[in-house]
């Protein structure tokens, strides 16, 4: 810090040649030098706003949720609303009559097919005992996948105000709302009639931004009492808020590319890592021939049918990998170790197989949740399968197969691990 200095000036007596000359002294009033202002440190320029893909992962899906009060305010006859949970139940049964136009099947098809993460809320309805209302926040592989699905819902909203289901007259009266950055929302009342008599009615809503689609539905009876304009507006605004929050987050904390070390093909397979790039030297996104060549000495079990899985077996028979190819191509989209629910499945000691973040076959699901937090517990009803799945912002999924439902039994055991590039998956087609 600067300090003031004082200066004085005076006259002193001088004796010369024995004569004393008295001179009066003159001393000016002391003055302080002004303290200089401290120099401000140069300001760092504000970072440019994040302008990359809008991709939500993990607990960021919570930003789309509605509160119990908001759900009750939008829908009539809402009972008890559950807390949000990181889990998803898929039925995946398909079937049923064909609608006309065909795109109308998008409205009642299972929206979660192809999703790689979810947050769910359920609630009871006072007018339909045993049929809960649901809200799903669904994460897809990337913006392209979610946008394509939302395009189908938008087309259905335009063409299915009145349609036929197996020849029976049905309807979907809806409202739409749009926001900046690709935000869209649709809310409507679906009345589906069966040609043999009967049917069902649902309040249905969809909203989307980036790689997320939010689906909400509740059964109703009689005439619809659903403010579709208000529902579409609320879902649009919530999606807009989530988008803004993600941009702020990624502006303040820029993404850092993951560094995946090279794997030694000659090392024991138990030393290989399962990462978002693949399993050991076998990489996702390469041609099948290249993946096979990356593991010299492995025995190859060819697929039993076109498009089926290929198995690589270690020279000592102690381990194997299952390679999944993209639909209608020979690009490797996924790699599995352990049980994969395919023909020719082999049982290996988990200690002889590659691991994911230190997690091996035979470990409890808690190990996977600790190594890969903020994932989703997935149950597929039609096939009786259970998984814990975690996904990267780039759309790669680490899926841990379980021997039972982890939401009901925390001691569920990992029986298989698959790493899957969901961006290479094929989207459902309606119509």
């Amino acid at each position: 810090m600067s300090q003031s200095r004082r200066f004085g000036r005076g006259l002193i007596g001088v004796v010369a040649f024995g004569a004393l000359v008295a001179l009066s002294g003159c001393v000016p009033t002391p003055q302080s030098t002004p303290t200089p202002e401290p120099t401000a440190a140069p300001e760092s320029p504000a970072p440019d706003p994040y302008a990359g893909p809008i991709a939500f992962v993990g607990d960021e899906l919570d930003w789309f949720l509605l509160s119990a009060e908001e759900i009750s305010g939008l829908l009539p006859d809402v009972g008890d609303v559950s807390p949000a949970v990181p889990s998803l139940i898929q039925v995946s049964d398909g079937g049923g009559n064909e609608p006309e136009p065909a795109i109308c099947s998008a409205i009642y098809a299972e929206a979660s097919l192809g999703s790689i993460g979810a947050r769910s809320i359920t609630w009871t309805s006072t007018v339909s005992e045993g049929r809960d209302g649901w809200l799903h926040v669904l994460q897809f592989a990337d913006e392209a996948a979610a946008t394509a699905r939302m395009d189908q819902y938008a087309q259905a909203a335009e063409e299915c105000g009145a349609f036929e289901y197996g020849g029976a007259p049905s309807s979907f009266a809806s409202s739409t709302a749009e926001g900046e950055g690709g935000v869209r929302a649709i809310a409507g009342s679906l009345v589906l009639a069966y040609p043999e008599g009967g049917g069902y009615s649902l309040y249905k809503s969809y909203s989307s931004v980036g790689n997320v689609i939010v689906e909400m539905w509740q059964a109703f009876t009689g005439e619809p009492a659903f403010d579709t304009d208000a529902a579409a507006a609320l879902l649009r605004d919530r999606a807009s808020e989530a988008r803004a929050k993600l941009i702020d987050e990624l502006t303040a904390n820029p993404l850092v590319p993951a560094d995946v070390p090279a794997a030694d093909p000659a090392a024991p397979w138990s030393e290989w890592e399962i990462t978002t790039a693949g399993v050991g030297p076998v990489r996702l996104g390469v041609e099948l021939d290249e993946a096979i060549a990356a593991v010299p000495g492995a025995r190859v079990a060819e697929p039993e049918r076109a498009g089926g899985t290929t198995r690589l077996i270690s020279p000592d028979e102690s381990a194997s990998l299952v390679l999944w190819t993209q639909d209608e191509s020979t690009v490797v989209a996924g790699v599995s170790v352990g049980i994969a629910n395919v023909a020719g499945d082999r049982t290996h000691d988990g200690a002889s197989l590659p691991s994911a973040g230190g997690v091996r076959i035979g470990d409890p699901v808690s190990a996977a949740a600790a190594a890969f937090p903020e994932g989703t517990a997935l149950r597929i009803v039609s096939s009786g399968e259970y998984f814990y799945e975690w996904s990267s912002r780039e759309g790669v999924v680490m899926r841990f197969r379980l021997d039972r439902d982890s939401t009901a039994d925390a001691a569920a055991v990992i029986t298989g691990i698959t790493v899957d590039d969901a961006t290479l998956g094929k989207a459902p087609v309606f119509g």
Side-chain angles (χ1 to χ4, degrees):
M1 180 180 293
S2 300
Q3 296 181 341
S4 300
R5 300 178 58 189
R6 298 186 177 183
F7 298 88
R9 186 173 55 209
L11 298 177
I12 60 174
V14 180
V15 178
F17 305 106
L20 180 62
V21 179
L23 300 175
S24 60
C26 180
V27 180
T29 303
Q31 297 181 352
S32 298
T33 302
T35 302
E37 294 292 330
T39 303
E43 294 185 4
S44 300
D48 292 334
Y50 173 77
I54 300 299
F56 299 85
V57 295
D59 289 347
E60 293 166 358
L61 301 180
D62 293 346
W63 301 343
F64 290 85
L65 294 169
L66 300 183
S67 68
E69 292 75 16
E70 288 172 324
I71 293 170
S72 298
L74 284 180
L75 297 165
D77 307 307
V78 172
D80 296 327
V81 181
S82 76
V85 291
S87 65
L88 175 67
I89 298 174
Q90 285 183 342
V91 178
S92 310
D93 57 353
N97 294 301
E98 292 297 323
E100 178 60 41
I103 189 62
C104 299
S105 62
I107 307 170
Y108 54 83
E110 200 163 2
S112 65
L113 297 179
S115 65
I116 60 175
R119 297 296 183 268
S120 302
I121 296 176
T122 63
W123 58 91
T124 59
S125 172
T126 59
V127 299
S128 183
E129 185 177 355
R131 295 197 64 181
D132 292 341
W134 287 83
L135 183 146
H136 287 145
V137 181
L138 302 170
Q139 173 193 347
F140 288 85
D142 52 21
E143 289 182 283
T147 298
R149 187 72 62 87
M150 195 64 184
D151 286 345
Q152 294 170 331
Y153 296 139
Q155 182 183 351
E158 291 179 358
E159 299 183 18
C160 304
F163 66 99
E164 291 188 350
Y165 179 70
S170 301
S171 62
F172 182 61
S174 63
S175 300
T176 62
E178 297 184 357
E180 296 182 356
V183 173
R184 290 183 287 176
I186 299 168
S189 300
L190 171 65
V191 178
L192 196 68
Y194 296 151
E196 63 274 15
Y200 64 87
S201 300
L202 295 175
Y203 299 133
K204 297 218 66 175
S205 301
Y206 307 94
S207 63
S208 177
V209 66
N211 68 331
V212 165
I213 288 179
V214 179
E215 180 195 32
M216 182 174 66
W217 80 90
Q218 176 184 303
F220 71 93
T221 57
E223 293 298 315
F226 182 31
D227 188 338
T228 58
D229 288 336
L234 177 59
L235 290 170
R236 174 202 60 199
D237 294 346
R238 187 56 42 83
S240 295
E241 292 165 4
R243 177 180 179 273
K245 193 169 183 177
L246 182 70
I247 291 174
D248 289 345
E249 174 66 24
L250 298 184
T251 298
N253 301 288
L255 300 175
V256 178
D259 182 21
V260 179
D264 181 5
W269 290 23
S270 60
E271 296 181 7
W272 291 348
E273 282 288 320
I274 305 171
T275 69
T276 54
V279 178
V282 179
R283 294 301 196 229
L284 301 176
V286 304
E287 286 290 327
L288 180 60
D289 289 345
E290 181 180 345
I292 294 172
V295 191
R299 181 163 65 87
V300 180
E302 300 287 350
E304 297 181 357
R305 57 177 179 79
T309 58
T310 299
R311 186 179 294 273
L312 301 182
I313 304 168
S314 65
D316 63 1
E317 302 278 329
S318 67
S320 65
L321 306 179
V322 175
L323 310 185
W324 305 78
T325 53
Q326 185 185 26
D327 290 341
E328 301 174 359
S329 85
T330 55
V331 173
V332 176
V335 184
S336 297
V337 302
I339 300 300
N341 197 23
V342 296
D345 259 344
R346 291 182 164 219
T347 301
H348 299 290
D349 184 347
S352 67
L353 294 170
S355 62
V359 181
R360 294 188 180 275
I361 305 301
D363 286 343
V365 66
S366 58
F372 299 90
E374 302 184 16
T376 299
L378 172 64
R379 173 191 174 194
I380 302 179
V381 176
S382 59
S383 58
E385 295 176 288
Y386 304 95
F387 299 92
Y388 174 80
E389 58 182 7
W390 171 94
S391 55
S392 73
R393 208 176 292 275
E394 294 72 32
V396 178
V397 187
M398 200 75 71
R399 189 170 289 114
F400 298 86
R401 179 181 295 276
L402 307 175
D403 65 344
R404 53 192 181 274
D405 186 357
S406 61
T407 63
D409 187 349
V413 173
I414 298 168
T415 62
I417 305 173
T418 297
V419 59
D420 173 40
D421 185 347
T423 65
L424 300 176
K426 185 176 181 180
V429 176
F430 305 107

